[in-house]
């Protein structure tokens, strides 16, 4: 009797390619904003409501991390009700943090609220080592004593005051997470903190607006210099997460790669300037139908070059999806990944589908081919899994995608949304006992 591997027993996505899509997609709230806003809710000891929260495995896991700290969290529809008044535990459980890098962002709020935080190092993942030195050095500049022992970051505020001090901090790299950690920590510090060379991503701005709605004093979010004046405490908030710009970009590419016209809403078009410009260079037009609704009108795709950069440059989270599109574009393209050191896991899988991609370090040279063919492939990380779905939609024949736990971390019902557009896509359950989506951790519902 042959024993199948865990990957083989888990659910897979089956996609029959070559079908045009049509219709409108409803975009969910942004994963990379919802997760950090959940961390930010620790800053206040009153009720917080966060709306437009996507249904994702990562959101469920972040909910478990907060619950482990003594936070009461319930979900009703698309809203999270969070009550951190009884925040008591300063140590986050390793088995949860190791599964969700974003949970490391709680270190800033925890330290600011309790004066102590013990967070396991999140460790690396498929796309890179993911160090946290910028977070640590920034907290040290604010007066925290931070030691890393046995894989855990021990941070505490020495002395009786138990409050961080405002500081002028230059970030060697405009790290999104470090900017968010330090901005949150600074909201309750004594004095003024200036973050220089700060990240400018829309999710950073969303977090700043969330904190300001709780009474924080923050200015300059969205630029490379953010100034935070500490306040004694923060209060209740009811806040809606911005739309997910990476989900929007993924569906725009779905339209381009299947030569289909699609409408997407709600969208903040300004969050996608680089993505829309690149789609135009490749041959697809993106029209703003209303202030928060986009429509893609595809054209014949031609090769172009892409270099991923911190915002407002081309987003690394759209690199894999655009590579899928460029495999079918006329001519050669070069993609350079400058943000993460190992974000090319999707190349080998796309080549299994007949793509012609060669990599050298963080460069990929893509030679357009007339068609892709369906094949069994394995997703290596979240955005690679989205790229394989997009390739499967355009390929001739059937594509079977394993590794759906990656996809379920970051997309809210991607296959359901694609099905509504006419895609031939279905989730095929593995053997009995295989982990399926229904077994994902579920937050208590109110
Ligand atoms: C956030 O990760 C996003 N995740 C990522 O989205 C996104 O790709 C990334 O920002 C860049 O936009 C969340 O918001 C939960 P970084 P983050 O700190 O904060 C180096 C997705 O697919 N670095 O800006 O971890 C780091 O190694 C995910 O949705 C340090 O060297 O990204 C990387 O090379 C993937 N030291 C670069 O900076 C540090 O202390 C960018 O990382 C921190 C980061």
């Amino acid at each position: 009797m042959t024993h199948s591997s865990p990957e083989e027993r888990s659910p897979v996505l089956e996609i029959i390619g070559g079908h045009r899509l049509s219709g409108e997609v409803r975009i969910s709230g942004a994963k990379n904003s919802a997760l950090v806003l959940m961390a930010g809710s620790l800053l206040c000891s009153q009720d917080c409501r966060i709306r437009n929260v996507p249904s994702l495995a990562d959101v469920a896991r972040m909910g478990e991390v907060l619950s482990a700290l003594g936070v009461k969290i319930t979900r009703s529809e698309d809203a999270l009700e969070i009550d951190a008044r009884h925040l008591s535990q300063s140590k986050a459980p390793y088995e949860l943090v190791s599964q969700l890098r974003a949970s490391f962002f709680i270190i800033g709020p925890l330290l600011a609220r309790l004066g102590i935080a013990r967070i396991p190092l999140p460790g690396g993942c498929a796309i890179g080592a993911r160090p946290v030195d910028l977070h640590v050095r920034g907290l040290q500049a604010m007066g925290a004593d931070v030691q890393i022992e046995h894989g855990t970051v021990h941070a505490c505020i020495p002395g009786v005051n138990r409050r961080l001090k405002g500081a002028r901090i230059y970030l060697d790299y405009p790290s999104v997470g470090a900017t968010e950690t330090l901005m949150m920590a600074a909201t309750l510090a004594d004095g003024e903190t200036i973050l220089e060379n700060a990240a400018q991503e829309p999710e950073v701005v969303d977090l700043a607006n969330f904190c300001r709605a709780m009474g924080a004093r923050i200015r300059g979010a969205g630029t490379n210099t953010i100034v935070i004046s500490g306040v004694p405490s923060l209060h209740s908030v009811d806040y809606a997460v911005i739309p997910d710009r990476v989900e929007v970009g993924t569906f725009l590419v779905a339209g381009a790669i299947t030569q289909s016209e699609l409408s997407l809403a709600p969208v903040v078009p300004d969050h996608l300037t680089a993505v829309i410009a690149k789609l135009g260079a490749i041959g697809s037009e993106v029209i703003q139908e209303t202030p928060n609704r986009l429509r893609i009108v595809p054209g014949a795709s031609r090769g172009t070059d892409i270099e991923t950069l911190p915002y407002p440059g081309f987003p690394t989270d759209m690199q894999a999806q655009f590579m899928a599109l460029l495999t079918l574009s006329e001519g050669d393209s070069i993609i350079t990944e400058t943000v993460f050191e190992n974000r090319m896991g999707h190349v080998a899988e796309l080549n299994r589908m007949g793509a012609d991609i060669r990599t050298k370090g963080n460069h990929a040279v893509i030679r357009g081919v007339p068609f892709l063919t369906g094949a069994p492939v394995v997703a290596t990380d979240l955005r690679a899994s989205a790229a394989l779905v997009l390739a499967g939609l355009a390929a001739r024949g059937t594509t079977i995608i394993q590794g759906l736990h990656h996809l379920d971390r970051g997309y809210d019902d991607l296959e359901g949304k694609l099905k509504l557009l006419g895609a031939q896509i279905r989730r095929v359950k593995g053997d009995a006992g295989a982990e399926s989506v229904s077994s994902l951790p579920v937050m208590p519902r109110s």
Side-chain angles (χ1 to χ4, degrees), residues 31-32 35 101-102 105 127 130-135 173-178 180 201 316-317 339-341 343 382-383:
K31 165 180 85 82
N32 291 346
L35 292 173
R101 168 180 176 71
F105 298 165
I127 63 176
R130 313 294 294 271
V132 292
D133 56 308
L134 298 176
H135 302 242
Y173 185 89
S175 154
V176 172
E180 294 170 339
E201 273 70 1
T316 175
D317 292 348
V339 176
F340 288 106
E341 67 266 29
R343 201 169 198 176
L382 168 55
R383 305 306 175 180

Side-chain angles (χ1 to χ4, degrees), residues 131-151:
V132 292
D133 56 308
L134 298 176
H135 302 242
V136 170
R137 288 214 301 271
L139 293 172
Q140 288 171 329
M142 296 172 77
D145 176 26
V146 186
Q147 308 294 332
I148 297 178
E149 291 157 7
H150 311 299

Side-chain angles (χ1 to χ4, degrees), residues 235-265:
H235 56 69
S236 277
V237 66
D238 183 338
Y239 192 84
V241 173
I242 54 172
D244 193 317
R245 63 190 169 103
V246 182
E247 185 184 26
V248 174
T250 303
F251 276 102
L252 287 174
V253 173
I257 204 170
T258 60
Q259 289 293 294
S260 311
E261 287 198 25
L262 301 175
S263 287
L264 314 172

